[in-house]
Amino acid sequence: MPPDQFDQPASEKRLHRLFPFLGFWQGRSTLTADIIAGITVGLVLVPQAMAYAALAGMPPATGLYAASFACIMGALFGRCAQLNTGPVAMTSLLTFAAVAPLAAGQGEEVYFALAAVLAILVGVIRIIVGLCRGTALVSLVSQPVLAGFTAAAGITIASTQIPQFFNMEQEYANPVFNVAHAIVHIADAHMPSLALGFGTLLVMILLKKFAPRLPGLLIGLIGAGLVSWLIDFEQMGGRIVGNLPAGLPQWALPEFEWHMVPNLLGGAVLVVVIGLLEVMTVTTAAERSSGKRTDLNGEMIGQGIASLTAGVTHGFPVSGSLSRSSLNTMAGARTGFSSVVSGFIVIFTLIFLTPLLRPLPYPALAAAIVMAVSALIRPRDLINAFRVRRLDGIAGLLTFTVTIIAAPDMTLGIACGVGFSVSWILVSIMRPRCEVLQCVDEHWVRCENPTQHKKSCVIRIDGRAVFLNVQHLRSFFAQVLNSMDNDGTLILYAAGINHLDASGAASIAELAEYLKGNGGELIISGAKIDLRQVVANHPVLAKLRQTPDIDCALQDLDHASSEADAQNDA
């Protein structure tokens, strides 16, 4: 068992925060479990990395580069023991979307260099976000918006693999055009490629359904590689991985032109946001199983170091993988050392096993990608959003639609979704719920038809009373004043006001001054502690009578009325 963190000296705690890998050693049993889990995940990581490299528009070898040292560095400096870092489908798609327009017509070398620069930018941004403790900003992306985006991204990713199944050139990056092009040219499809691709996909689907504990992706790709070798798939006109450069990647900064960097910033930010959401999903699941809270800001620093490493080893942006992290947990990983082992499996492959990967067919890699991204397409999430709140469903559907239409530009869809959600929040703040209350069976409920010329009236405001909704509040106050006597008493039930700024306080103060000038009174009832502090600091509101609830306010009014009647009788 690891030593209790409360028994550790403060200096040792700081050292472990800076260098999380110092906590890897927790006994032989933990080491054995991590080695077994690491080998298990490493065997899946090798083919996945090659498939996702193709999705990013990169050579298969660069996927192995991005899965080797980057995976190790992410584990050494990350905070979540089960998180496995490396190439993932979403990040690979975003890499292609960000780099392809800039590198169009400039050759492969420029494309590869820009992908590496993007990885470095992503790494720098992640480290800055982690150091500034800015992971909370991801809350701007609501769950329905994320569901719409991931579903559209999954469809876009799957559609980009259609040319691989048909053995055609990639004509379009938009899913609608991809599907239409495939339908029009279906007669030109290369049948061996189609059979091998769909056969591999069928094997993976069947294994997932009937033998979920077996590594279906690995088994499917090994089988496809053997079939490709046996039938000489390359001689039949099929595309295979071919000869991969043996050995480890060189550590060096990519050669690029600085004027292109600003054009990559938008794509880098989107990779950071989506990657953070994926990491949050993994860390949340890990927290539920272990009961230990993960330092998400610290994990972002580890993810940043991993992406920087991928950039300087001729790779592309990496992120935490949901599928491999789940497999890591199921395989019994206890510390980040399991991902270190996975990284060394990739390194071992690069040094010794690249000839074995040569016959691996591209249609099989396409099947692996389609299988992996199928989990992203979850229409039930959008349906549930509509059921819970129609506007949330609309935000998710808007994100989905715009992302599909604008593909491969992935920033526009999520920007529209976030913009719609934030705009609606601002609209709801600008129009807080304001109502007149009446007592029915000893309960204060909304009064649908307020009676005219009341001597006293009870009103309620739910939400924020701030500068954004001052005009709405003044309009409501005017309607209430028109329905009661000029010298009446107005009770403001303020339990629902959760924030009051200077503008909101001024609007309430204007109401109080108007009532006072006409012989009436404003009473504040049920205010929370924070609101009472604001009221106490305001020169006008501080003089108002305050009661804990509406009934106390009415009792005070009855008592004052009785005293006034007694004085008049005397």
Side-chain angles (χ1 to χ4, degrees):
M1 291 290 291
D4 194 312
Q5 60 175 342
F6 297 105
D7 296 334
Q8 296 176 349
S11 59
E12 188 174 342
K13 289 182 182 179
R14 285 195 297 270
L15 200 60
H16 277 254
R17 281 199 297 268
L18 290 173
F19 307 107
F21 55 85
L22 294 177
F24 282 178
W25 174 252
Q26 297 179 11
R28 289 185 178 180
S29 61
T30 297
L31 178 63
T32 302
D34 284 340
I35 291 174
I36 294 173
I39 293 173
T40 303
V41 175
L43 293 175
V44 174
L45 177 57
V46 170
Q48 268 197 355
M50 297 171 64
Y52 294 151
L55 178 60
M58 302 286 286
T62 61
L64 298 178
Y65 297 160
S68 54
F69 292 105
C71 180
I72 294 172
M73 298 300 283
L76 292 177
F77 293 95
R79 301 300 192 274
C80 181
Q82 290 77 26
L83 185 66
N84 182 272
T85 303
V88 296
M90 189 73 75
T91 300
S92 298
L93 174 66
L94 296 176
T95 298
F96 175 79
V99 174
L102 298 178
Q106 300 191 56
E108 291 184 342
E109 294 301 322
V110 174
Y111 187 100
F112 302 157
L114 287 178
V117 172
L118 181 64
I120 294 173
L121 279 177
V122 169
V124 172
I125 295 172
R126 281 175 173 167
I127 292 173
I128 293 173
V129 170
L131 291 175
C132 297
R133 310 192 68 80
T135 54
L137 293 175
V138 78
S139 301
L140 290 172
V141 183
S142 67
Q143 195 279 332
V145 169
L146 179 62
F149 177 79
T150 53
I155 292 173
T156 302
I157 292 171
S159 74
T160 60
Q161 301 310 301
I162 293 176
Q164 302 291 355
F165 283 101
F166 284 60
N167 198 19
M168 297 177 178
E169 292 297 323
Q170 181 84 38
E171 296 288 342
Y172 305 100
N174 184 278
V176 178
F177 295 144
N178 261 330
V179 172
H181 183 265
I183 293 173
V184 171
H185 295 87
I186 192 168
D188 300 328
H190 184 244
M191 295 311 296
S193 296
L194 202 61
L196 194 53
F198 279 103
T200 305
L201 183 60
L202 181 62
V203 169
M204 293 177 181
I205 293 173
L206 292 176
L207 286 174
K208 182 178 181 180
K209 183 174 180 61
F210 297 108
R213 288 190 168 273
L214 294 178
L217 183 144
L218 182 63
I219 294 173
L221 289 177
I222 290 176
L226 287 173
V227 170
S228 171
W229 176 67
L230 289 172
I231 66 175
D232 204 353
F233 182 65
E234 185 180 16
Q235 292 298 320
M236 299 173 67
R239 294 183 61 212
I240 62 173
V241 168
N243 296 320
L244 296 178
L248 300 178
Q250 293 182 348
W251 290 61
L253 287 172
E255 296 181 2
F256 62 95
E257 297 181 14
W258 281 97
H259 68 86
M260 290 186 172
V261 173
N263 296 324
L264 289 171
L265 282 175
V269 171
L270 188 57
V271 170
V272 170
V273 172
I274 299 303
L276 175 56
L277 291 169
E278 290 184 304
V279 168
M280 283 180 63
T281 304
V282 176
T283 56
T284 301
E287 287 173 1
R288 284 198 298 265
S289 61
S290 67
K292 298 179 181 179
R293 187 161 182 81
T294 302
D295 178 9
L296 195 56
N297 291 296
E299 182 59 54
M300 279 298 286
I301 295 174
Q303 291 288 298
I305 294 173
S307 197
L308 281 174
T309 305
V312 299
T313 53
H314 306 282
F316 50 91
V318 295
S319 186
S321 168
L322 294 176
S323 59
R324 292 196 302 272
S325 298
S326 299
L327 178 61
N328 205 22
T329 302
M330 290 175 56
R334 299 182 187 176
T335 73
F337 185 70
S338 61
S339 292
V340 174
V341 174
S342 299
F344 276 108
I345 292 293
V346 179
I347 291 174
F348 181 83
T349 302
L350 279 168
I351 297 174
F352 300 107
L353 303 181
T354 51
L356 297 179
L357 301 175
R358 185 186 183 282
L360 196 60
Y362 269 100
L365 292 178
I369 292 173
V370 171
M371 190 66 191
V373 302
S374 62
L376 300 177
I377 306 170
R378 300 176 59 182
R380 186 177 297 276
D381 289 346
L382 289 178
I383 294 172
N384 290 339
F386 269 105
R387 288 175 177 172
V388 173
R389 192 163 175 263
R390 183 173 298 178
L391 284 168
D392 285 335
I394 292 173
L397 185 60
L398 175 67
T399 305
F400 174 85
T401 305
V402 175
T403 303
I404 288 289
I405 294 173
D409 182 0
M410 309 301 289
T411 57
L412 187 58
I414 202 165
C416 286
V418 171
F420 180 86
S421 300
V422 172
S423 298
W424 180 249
I425 290 173
L426 291 176
V427 170
S428 64
I429 293 175
M430 292 174 68
R431 298 184 63 84
R433 185 176 180 181
C434 302
E435 54 193 21
V436 178
L437 303 182
Q438 63 179 354
C439 188
V440 177
D441 297 332
E442 299 184 353
H443 295 284
W444 289 95
V445 296
R446 180 181 181 182
C447 179
E448 299 294 342
N449 298 301
T451 307
Q452 295 284 333
H453 308 298
K454 289 185 176 181
K455 189 66 180 175
S456 64
C457 183
V458 180
I459 62 173
R460 177 187 176 108
I461 299 174
D462 284 330
R464 295 169 172 260
V466 294
F467 70 97
L468 288 172
N469 54 37
V470 164
Q471 296 304 320
H472 180 75
L473 294 178
R474 286 173 175 162
S475 176
F476 171 68
F477 293 155
Q479 292 176 7
V480 172
L481 292 174
N482 289 334
S483 69
M484 59 183 293
D485 294 342
N486 289 333
D487 60 347
T489 300
L490 185 61
I491 301 173
L492 171 59
Y493 184 55
I497 301 178
N498 49 46
H499 185 73
L500 180 68
D501 70 357
S503 301
S507 65
I508 298 175
E510 290 172 6
L511 175 64
E513 293 284 8
Y514 176 85
L515 288 168
K516 182 180 179 182
N518 288 279
E521 182 185 9
L522 175 65
I523 300 175
I524 298 179
S525 175
K528 300 174 183 176
I529 294 177
D530 292 344
L531 182 60
R532 291 202 298 267
Q533 292 175 347
V534 176
V535 169
N537 293 328
H538 194 280
V540 175
L541 301 184
K543 299 175 183 179
L544 301 179
R545 193 189 322 184
Q546 297 188 52
T547 62
D549 54 44
I550 299 174
D551 293 332
C552 290
L554 293 175
Q555 290 174 7
D556 287 353
L557 289 177
D558 291 340
H559 181 70
S561 178
S562 299
E563 288 184 348
D565 291 342
Q567 290 178 359
N568 290 334
D569 292 342

